[in-house]
Structures are given as structure tokens and as C-alpha cells.
Amino acid sequence: MKKNSTARKYYEKYKHYLLFVAYLMFYLVGFSALESASHRHYHVIHSVIDDMIPFNEYFVIPYYLWFFYIGAGVCWFIFKESQRDYDKLVSALCIGMTVFLIVSCIFPNRLELRPTSFAHHNFCTWLVQKLYKTDTPTNVLPSIHVFNTLIMLYAIRRSTILQKHRWVELGTAVLSVLIILSTMFLKQHSVVDVSCGILMSIAVQMFVDKLFDTRENSLAQRLGQVNE
């Protein structure tokens, strides 16, 4: 009984974080299934602006920094921020990634932008080649790279703790811009799916803010009625 009581105590304390881990496992399984699925027809995503953007292998550095940025950001909100701010962040991330999976299911899409050869051969082009081998040019709309980047940026800019450190706000803003640009300069994303990622981040963040505000107002009203 004591072991069960201890396990339940830990579950109640960390259930918010465990639920997010469970969702990430679900997302990765879903994403892998979509990547390996064989579709008869993919909708090719393309814009004339894509043809004007040159390939630049050096943007692979901020592209890979995205993984650290999102991971470190989530860890910060777990250990340093309030439960409310953490919940808002992961709620927005989960909603956006779920929308991405749904769109990829009903609207299979791909890119045909990747270069077939490189003008330079260096460490960065080697990293790009590794990236191309592990990440197929399919299911790119909307860009989760862009979406998650902006959702994290919104959360950081709202943080009462990080607002005291101007260099953090400035640094994450610059990194976010570089990450978004990297998706296009590496030909990982079209201007179309980058734009969709930006628009989705705005819409989802507004929805989450409204949802939490409504819930908190409702709770405040119920508490007020009880006190009366």
C-alpha cells in the first residue's frame, strides 16, 4: 500500500510532465508512420519566391540549434516557470503538432527544392547531406520547425523571470529569426509552409491565451460565489 501511495504521490506531482512525454511519444510514432507511408500522389509545395532564395549550407547551424532551443526551453519552463506558463506552452505545442499530423494525413505534401549537388564541400555541407538522408522532403506543411520556434519565443517573451534579462529576449529573438530563415536557405521548407507555420503559431497562441483566460475567469467567478 505504501508503494502505491508513493507512486500516486509522484504521479500527481509530475502528471503534467508525464502527459507531455506521452504526447511526444505519440507524435513521434505518428510522424514516423507518415514519413514511411507510400502515397500515390503528393501535393508539391512551391512558390516563385523559393526560386529566388539561394541555397546556403551555413544555415544548417541554426537549423540544428532548433533542437537545443526547444528542448532547453521546455526544461526551463518545467523547472523555473509557473505551472500555468508551462501548461500554456505545452498546450500550444501539442495543438500545433496535432494539426500538423492531421494536415499531413489529409493533404500529403512534399518539396522538390533540394539541390542535387553542392558548390562547396565543407563541414556544413556534410551536415546538410546527413540531414537530407534522415529527413525526407515530405509532409512539410505547415512547418513545425517554424511553429515550435515561434511558440517558444512567445512563451519566453511573456516570462516574468526572463523579462529581467534583456539579453535572453534579444538572443532568442535573433536565434528564432535565423532558424526560420534556415528552413528556406537549406531548402527544407517553402515560403508557403513557413508562412503557414507563422500564421498557425499566431492562431494557436491566441486560442490558448483565450482558453486559459476563460478558464481562469470562470474559476474566479466560482470562488467569488463560494465566498459570498
Side-chain angles (χ1 to χ4, degrees):
M1 288 292 292
K2 189 174 181 180
K3 287 184 178 180
N4 291 337
S5 178
T6 302
R8 183 174 181 80
K9 181 180 177 182
Y10 275 101
Y11 171 75
E12 289 297 327
K13 184 177 181 180
Y14 298 109
K15 64 180 179 181
H16 292 273
Y17 315 124
L18 294 173
L19 287 173
F20 184 54
V21 171
Y23 175 80
L24 287 179
M25 293 175 65
F26 159 77
Y27 173 79
L28 290 174
V29 170
F31 181 76
S32 298
L34 288 169
E35 287 288 279
S36 59
S38 298
H39 294 283
R40 292 183 178 180
H41 177 69
Y42 281 97
H43 301 273
V44 178
I45 308 299
H46 181 262
S47 166
V48 292
I49 302 176
D50 296 327
D51 301 328
M52 302 177 189
I53 301 174
F55 171 83
N56 189 309
E57 70 271 18
Y58 297 107
F59 275 95
V60 75
I61 296 173
Y63 189 89
Y64 273 121
L65 281 175
W66 176 84
F67 296 96
F68 171 78
Y69 177 47
I70 301 301
V74 171
C75 288
W76 172 269
F77 276 83
I78 289 175
F79 296 109
K80 296 294 185 179
E81 299 289 344
S82 67
Q83 186 68 58
R84 176 183 182 275
D85 289 337
Y86 167 81
D87 288 344
K88 289 184 73 172
L89 170 63
V90 297
S91 295
L93 291 174
C94 291
I95 290 171
M97 290 189 286
T98 302
V99 170
F100 165 77
L101 292 177
I102 294 171
V103 171
S104 298
C105 283
I106 64 178
F107 185 74
N109 53 85
R110 63 173 290 122
L111 293 177
E112 295 180 352
L113 299 175
R114 291 180 174 182
T116 55
S117 61
F118 301 105
H120 312 101
H121 292 281
N122 50 44
F123 178 68
C124 287
T125 53
W126 178 80
L127 285 177
V128 174
Q129 287 176 314
K130 294 296 182 182
L131 174 64
Y132 284 179
K133 286 181 180 179
T134 56
D135 187 13
T136 68
T138 58
N139 302 314
V140 295
L141 178 75
S143 170
I144 285 298
H145 229 73
V146 171
F147 173 82
N148 284 358
T149 296
L150 291 176
I151 291 297
M152 184 60 68
L153 181 61
Y154 300 153
I156 289 172
R157 291 181 65 84
R158 288 196 311 269
S159 167
T160 54
I161 299 174
L162 295 177
Q163 282 176 359
K164 301 173 184 177
H165 304 282
R166 185 65 178 172
W167 65 270
V168 175
E169 284 195 7
L170 180 60
T172 52
V174 171
L175 178 59
S176 296
V177 171
L178 289 175
I179 289 172
I180 293 171
L181 291 176
S182 74
T183 64
M184 294 177 284
F185 279 98
L186 292 180
K187 303 302 180 180
Q188 281 290 94
H189 285 285
S190 164
V191 171
V192 176
D193 40 85
V194 167
S195 300
C196 289
I198 294 172
L199 292 174
M200 186 170 75
S201 72
I202 296 171
V204 169
Q205 192 61 62
M206 289 176 63
F207 172 76
V208 170
D209 288 342
K210 183 69 173 177
L211 183 66
F212 273 72
D213 289 345
T214 301
R215 188 178 68 177
E216 288 165 4
N217 290 337
S218 177
L219 179 61
Q221 288 176 358
R222 288 200 297 270
L223 289 174
Q225 290 172 356
V226 170
N227 291 333
E228 289 176 358

